[in-house]
Amino acid sequence: MSSEQAPGRAWVFGDDVNTDLLAPGAYMKGPFEMLASHCLEAVDPMFAQQVQAGDMIVAGENFGIGSSREQAAQALKHLGVSAVLARSFGGIFFRNALNLGLVALTCPDSGRIRAGDRLAVDAAVGAVDNLSTGERYPCNRLPPKLLDMVRDGGLIAHLEKRQSNGKPDQDER
Amino acid sequence: MTAMGATLVEKIIARAAGVDRVTPGDIVTCRVDLAMMHDSGGPRRVQPLLERLGRGIWDPERVVVISDHYVPAVDAESAAILDGTRKWVARHGVRHFHDMQGICHVVLPERGHLRPGMFVVGGDSHSPTGGAFGCFMFGIGATDMAGVLITGETWVTVPDTIRLDWDGALPAGVCAKDMMLHLCARLGMGGAAQQVVQYGGNTVDALPMQERMTLSNMAAELGAQCGLIEADETTVDYIRSAGGDPGDPVAWRGDDDAAVMARHRFDASTLAPQVAAPHSPANAGDVAVHEGTPVHQAYIGACTGAKLEDLRMAAAVLSGQRVAKGTRLLLAPASTRTTLAAAQDGTLATLIEAGAILMPSGCGACAGYGAGVLTEDEVCISSTARNFRGRMGAASSQVFLASPYTVAASAVTGRITDPRGFLEPGAGV
């Protein structure tokens, strides 16, 4: 079985895309769908309307830096984003993304990717294929335990699956 | 036995994971000693997840809930969030509930919940503040928190440690906030992305607990998972006076020969007051660069900049002074106990006499939630930690970050001002 995700189209952003840009504080009180529709509008007003299922976010340093609000990762997942590739991440965003079943990978060569490039990601191997240019970039690997959780759709779905299979919440240490 | 010693964070994680030692990069599962949540990211976000799994919480004694974001309620939605929080703690038997008593990062240690060596998760990005007590405390999101509440465990990538050592005496009018703004400028907002920072050196040793908390708090602005400071007598005294149990602080120190990723050294004696220009804490430089910029609002608030020590710094500048016409000084003490202590020692009277407007204790304007937000094109100088675009109000508003000294001095002149002129003997305009 291939662990590779279906290819997606790249949306390219710069450095320091913070959680206030991903999930603007002014919309935090209201319905989540409303919040998601304002995702990244301060840097690209058309993003939330035009992003399609399977698309990927490509960014520079410190993606998701700022607050712990997981709506930042959730908004991207809700809009159909399948993976985020960045040179580095805010630590909490990185945890939140994986816990919500959104693939987040550190990719030092993310700057070589252009908007609209078609990308295929393999988190188990640690590689990103740029189908538009033929280039291949290294990225970090996700250990099997985390990859299982992400593939199950995130932490809650993972616990749910274990529970329904009669397994304990965690493997024995 | 291994030749190389372990860092403080490695020791805490190894203990929580039930293993002899861990190495940076390892992903391990840890038992959680304490989980802290607030009204915004807490009960209302985790309850649907608990319900989906039909589960309760693993140990109500290890959960602390603090309502600080939507306090006091300003509309029906925020009132409902606070009401839901109260009902949730009652339903789950959570005894450690602090309702509208101040900001979680200040209230948590103030009520004696932290002890050196603990493995603590907090549902907020300024959770690194707990590191000031020698705890490994880090911020997590609601899904992560639901997992902790159900299982009592969480996964963690063992972080590398970056040492930030400060030596020398801080000059008058210069404080921990200036140290942090300087570090943000030097190292950048991703300067410690996914690592922990550990502060040390004789400058840090000499700092009172609340100033150490400012260092640990703004470790978040370096991207760090935690801002650790090894416990000493200052820590133990604070924990005891808060009614807590300091445990065995000596056991929770890193080994001298532990491998760290980097070690940076700084000289506190030459540091000038710092100001960070919009829209990043990393846009910091000496106050001289921005001196004279007119400000509409001066804000002393938040977990970062409105503890008792912060209020005392502002009072040192504002004693016998008046806030400039056309400028407003808003003061939101970090906790109700801060307000009480400031009332008892005269600090509060000094601030109010100078024209400060007293506001409720809570996250408030810092995160654009409560009273005190900015309209289009307004300029604010603030003792808070973040000045991201639009965070404190309108997208075109401008927030400069500075110490309580500098915020207070700027309130007096109506322009960004070096506070040192207000602190020299015989000063007075």
Side-chain angles (χ1 to χ4, degrees), chain B residues 31 150 169 174 186 227 255 312 332 382 410 412:
Chain B
R31 292 243 155 83
I150 291 166
V174 182
R186 280 282 299 275
D255 296 323
R312 285 176 175 161
S382 177
S410 305
V412 172

Side-chain angles (χ1 to χ4, degrees), chain B residues 270-295:
Chain B
T270 57
L271 188 64
Q274 300 289 298
V275 170
H279 296 283
S280 167
N283 287 341
D286 290 357
V287 61
V289 178
H290 301 290
E291 248 187 313
T293 303
V295 296

Side-chain angles (χ1 to χ4, degrees), chain B residues 86-133:
Chain B
R86 291 178 194 119
K87 287 176 174 153
W88 190 86
V89 297
R91 174 178 170 185
H92 289 279
V94 173
R95 276 193 316 129
H96 306 302
F97 175 46
H98 307 289
D99 192 4
M100 307 204 296
Q101 296 303 302
I103 306 169
C104 59
H105 308 297
V106 175
V107 171
L108 191 71
E110 203 176 65
R111 305 293 170 125
H113 291 296
L114 296 180
R115 186 174 63 247
M118 286 174 97
F119 184 103
V120 189
V121 296
D124 190 272
S125 60
H126 281 113
S127 297
T129 312
F133 295 84

Side-chain angles (χ1 to χ4, degrees), chain A residues 29 70 95 169-170 173, chain B residues 31 55 75 143 153 155:
Chain A
K29 247 186 332 198
E70 66 181 14
R95 286 183 68 88
D169 293 329
Q170 306 279 350
R173 286 184 280 178
Chain B
R31 292 243 155 83
R55 301 285 288 270
D75 54 22
T143 298
E153 297 185 324
W155 61 272

Side-chain angles (χ1 to χ4, degrees), chain B residues 78-204:
Chain B
S78 47
I81 291 168
L82 294 174
D83 180 55
T85 305
R86 291 178 194 119
K87 287 176 174 153
W88 190 86
V89 297
R91 174 178 170 185
H92 289 279
V94 173
R95 276 193 316 129
H96 306 302
F97 175 46
H98 307 289
D99 192 4
M100 307 204 296
Q101 296 303 302
I103 306 169
C104 59
H105 308 297
V106 175
V107 171
L108 191 71
E110 203 176 65
R111 305 293 170 125
H113 291 296
L114 296 180
R115 186 174 63 247
M118 286 174 97
F119 184 103
V120 189
V121 296
D124 190 272
S125 60
H126 281 113
S127 297
T129 312
F133 295 84
C135 302
F136 178 44
M137 180 165 179
F138 60 98
I140 63 174
T143 298
D144 224 343
M145 185 61 82
V148 169
L149 292 177
I150 291 166
T151 66
E153 297 185 324
T154 196
W155 61 272
V156 66
T157 310
V158 180
D160 275 302
T161 295
I162 297 177
R163 287 285 309 227
L164 302 173
D165 290 342
W166 286 81
D167 286 303
L170 283 166
V174 182
C175 62
K177 178 65 176 289
D178 299 302
M179 293 164 69
M180 282 317 300
L181 291 175
H182 180 70
L183 288 175
C184 287
R186 280 282 299 275
L187 303 175
M189 286 204 66
Q194 301 183 50
Q195 290 107 34
V196 296
V197 294
Q198 184 171 326
Y199 304 100
N202 62 33
T203 314
V204 176

Side-chain angles (χ1 to χ4, degrees), chain A residues 17-170:
Chain A
V17 173
N18 64 58
T19 50
D20 287 85
L21 296 173
L22 290 159
Y27 304 102
M28 287 288 286
K29 247 186 332 198
F32 174 69
E33 291 70 22
M34 167 78 85
L35 177 71
S37 73
H38 292 278
C39 179
L40 291 170
E41 70 178 0
V43 278
D44 184 345
M46 301 311 288
F47 171 75
Q49 287 171 45
Q50 294 184 348
V51 67
Q52 289 170 15
D55 285 359
M56 299 184 192
I57 300 278
V58 175
E61 305 286 353
N62 307 324
F63 189 87
I65 200 159
S67 98
S68 65
R69 61 184 74 152
E70 66 181 14
Q71 289 87 341
Q74 209 174 359
L76 293 176
K77 205 185 169 202
H78 176 80
L79 293 170
V81 170
S82 65
V84 183
L85 311 172
R87 274 201 297 282
S88 65
F89 287 94
I92 304 179
F93 177 90
F94 182 76
R95 286 183 68 88
N96 286 343
L98 297 178
N99 281 324
L100 289 166
L102 173 65
V103 172
L105 295 167
T106 307
C107 179
D109 298 327
S110 68
R112 298 186 59 82
I113 300 168
R114 298 284 157 255
D117 282 359
R118 286 180 62 75
L119 306 173
V121 164
D122 191 330
V125 169
V128 178
D129 283 307
N130 189 332
L131 306 179
S132 301
T133 64
E135 291 181 323
R136 173 169 257 227
Y137 319 113
C139 64
N140 70 300
R141 289 174 54 245
L142 293 180
K145 200 170 160 178
L146 278 190
L147 203 52
D148 276 351
M149 184 184 78
V150 174
R151 283 185 186 148
D152 285 346
L155 175 61
I156 299 299
H158 179 66
L159 288 174
E160 203 168 35
K161 189 174 160 193
R162 291 185 73 102
Q163 202 167 297
S164 67
N165 291 341
K167 286 188 191 167
D169 293 329
Q170 306 279 350

